[in-house]
Amino acid sequence: MSLYKTNTVIKLKVKANDGLDLVHRPQGEHYNPQYTCKRSGLVSIHCWGWISHEGAGIFHRIEGYLDGLHYQHILENITLPSVWLLYPDDIIHLQQDHFSFHDSRVVQEWLSRQADVELLDWPPQAPDMNPIEKTWGEMKRTMQET
């Protein structure tokens, strides 16, 4: 069973903040234009998910910075348990697109100890070859329309 996974950033327009002027200023400078900025109303949500040939898997919100240790935690505690629920007896063929955290030593060492996980040979920075990128694109379009 081949598993395609990646992370993405979803930017959503938040209507409550549209056009809101935020003032960051020293005391006594309330109306000084030098300390006024226009907020875009966009909120970024860092997400991670996987798909297989049978459809979408789990969707997970990433809190904080994604480094090798955090990525290994996601693989160990979110990805593999959710995959094994659907494919309990399969070898997992995992696709990674060579982000620095994919190739980090902590992740590579952890993956080398996983007998039921095999890495697919994948070229670096090839998003057009990764089917989940199309899934993320469709999800972002749908969210923007609502």
Side-chain angles (χ1 to χ4, degrees), residues 1-8 48-59 71 75 79-80 82-83 87 91-97 99 102 117-123 126-136:
M1 189 274 306
S2 294
L3 178 69
Y4 301 90
K5 43 107 222 100
T6 192
N7 58 296
T8 193
W48 181 95
W50 66 266
I51 62 172
S52 73
H53 65 282
E54 293 186 21
I58 197 164
F59 181 76
Y71 177 63
L75 287 175
T79 307
L80 295 186
S82 67
V83 172
Y87 309 101
I91 297 288
I92 298 168
H93 301 279
L94 186 65
Q95 175 273 332
Q96 298 192 112
D97 41 13
F99 283 112
H102 290 163
V117 176
E118 294 178 2
L119 288 178
L120 294 173
D121 188 23
W122 205 263
D128 292 346
M129 292 178 58
N130 188 345
I132 199 168
E133 295 300 336
K134 292 174 183 33
T135 304
W136 286 129

Side-chain angles (χ1 to χ4, degrees), residues 67-138:
D67 59 10
L69 207 53
H70 193 172
Y71 177 63
Q72 186 236 316
H73 171 81
I74 290 171
L75 287 175
E76 185 173 4
N77 298 293
I78 296 165
T79 307
L80 295 186
S82 67
V83 172
W84 287 325
L85 285 174
L86 295 174
Y87 309 101
D89 301 320
D90 284 356
I91 297 288
I92 298 168
H93 301 279
L94 186 65
Q95 175 273 332
Q96 298 192 112
D97 41 13
H98 299 284
F99 283 112
S100 59
F101 52 84
H102 290 163
D103 294 333
S104 69
R105 185 174 22 180
V106 67
V107 170
Q108 293 304 308
E109 288 174 359
W110 182 82
L111 284 169
S112 71
R113 295 189 303 271
Q114 308 308 308
D116 48 1
V117 176
E118 294 178 2
L119 288 178
L120 294 173
D121 188 23
W122 205 263
Q125 299 184 0
D128 292 346
M129 292 178 58
N130 188 345
I132 199 168
E133 295 300 336
K134 292 174 183 33
T135 304
W136 286 129
E138 185 60 33

